[in-house]
Amino acid sequence: MTSSTAAAIAARHRQTQDKLARVEKALGQLRRERGRLTVRAVAERAGVSATFLYENTQARALVQNATTDHRNRHDHQAQQEHDRIEASWRERALNAEAELTRTQKEVFAQRQRIGELMGQLRDFDQMVPGESVQHLTSENTTLKHRVHQLTQEHRKLQERLEGARSNLRFAEKRTANLEAQLLERDQP
């Protein structure tokens, strides 16, 4: 091998090492800027050709490792965000169900109390003078109003529960769509 051939090979090797250093620097910059890690973006940033990135095994490995790392980090962040949203909706649905259960118990207790008072009212109507009956009648009216209020609260809580369940179904459907998109993107 002649000295000019050896010098050309050494120059070519230095050029390749310089390009690899620029590729590493470009990958670092794109990571810090949270830019898109694509072959074209790395090639433009590093000032090398896309062909170099595909043909040089070291460059190709650098880009593949960086894109895999970027994709894994992005997938992890997306999963964390999904888990946070899912927990929020689940908590709301559980709270609505607990409140609905409490309201149903309260309505049941009020209805039982009304039944007892109605029975007492009938008993007093037969035994007590008219003034006491009037007092019991007004108390009965107040209790009926309270039952009406509790029934409305029950209906509102039912609607909130249905809304929370609907939102949860939407979030689950959206999650499934995002997971499908991630799987499609990962496939060649």
Side-chain angles (χ1 to χ4, degrees):
M1 187 174 355
T2 65
S3 65
S4 63
T5 305
I9 290 173
R12 176 114 173 127
H13 182 69
R14 279 191 306 276
Q15 266 185 332
T16 301
Q17 292 305 314
D18 178 52
K19 287 180 181 180
L20 288 172
R22 289 190 314 218
V23 166
E24 286 185 53
K25 183 178 177 184
L27 286 169
Q29 289 172 346
L30 287 170
R31 277 190 199 118
R32 280 190 300 279
E33 297 168 5
R34 301 205 185 277
R36 243 185 104 122
L37 288 176
T38 62
V39 172
R40 190 156 311 283
V42 173
E44 287 177 15
R45 182 67 63 100
V48 298
S49 69
T51 305
F52 172 77
L53 295 177
Y54 286 118
E55 289 179 354
N56 185 288
T57 55
Q58 289 176 317
R60 185 174 54 240
L62 286 172
V63 172
Q64 285 176 344
N65 290 341
T67 55
T68 301
D69 182 49
H70 176 73
R71 194 174 296 128
N72 289 343
R73 192 175 311 121
H74 181 269
D75 292 348
H76 181 70
Q77 289 171 346
Q79 183 63 39
Q80 284 179 330
E81 179 67 15
H82 165 72
D83 291 346
R84 186 187 63 77
I85 291 170
E86 182 75 17
S88 169
W89 283 112
R90 187 173 294 119
E91 184 67 27
R92 288 179 187 170
L94 290 173
N95 287 343
E97 286 180 0
E99 189 62 26
L100 180 63
T101 302
R102 187 199 63 78
T103 303
Q104 287 172 336
K105 288 178 182 176
E106 179 71 21
V107 167
F108 181 72
Q110 291 295 329
R111 284 184 178 161
Q112 280 186 323
R113 179 74 177 135
I114 288 172
E116 291 169 5
L117 290 175
M118 290 293 285
Q120 290 175 5
L121 182 60
R122 283 188 210 109
D123 293 344
F124 281 123
D125 193 23
Q126 294 172 3
M127 297 170 43
V128 181
E131 195 173 297
S132 295
V133 172
Q134 219 174 17
H135 174 71
L136 289 174
T137 304
S138 67
E139 187 178 349
N140 186 36
T141 303
T142 304
L143 287 173
K144 283 182 181 179
H145 180 68
R146 179 70 178 136
V147 166
H148 179 70
Q149 285 177 331
L150 289 172
T151 303
Q152 286 179 334
E153 284 180 25
H154 179 263
R155 190 177 309 117
K156 286 178 186 176
L157 288 172
Q158 282 281 44
E159 291 170 358
R160 283 178 55 196
L161 176 61
E162 188 59 37
R165 286 177 177 160
S166 175
N167 287 338
L168 182 60
R169 284 191 298 271
F170 174 77
E172 289 174 348
K173 187 183 286 184
R174 177 74 176 129
T175 300
N177 288 339
L178 289 173
E179 290 173 348
Q181 288 175 1
L182 286 174
L183 288 174
E184 289 174 5
R185 190 183 71 196
D186 288 341
Q187 293 177 350

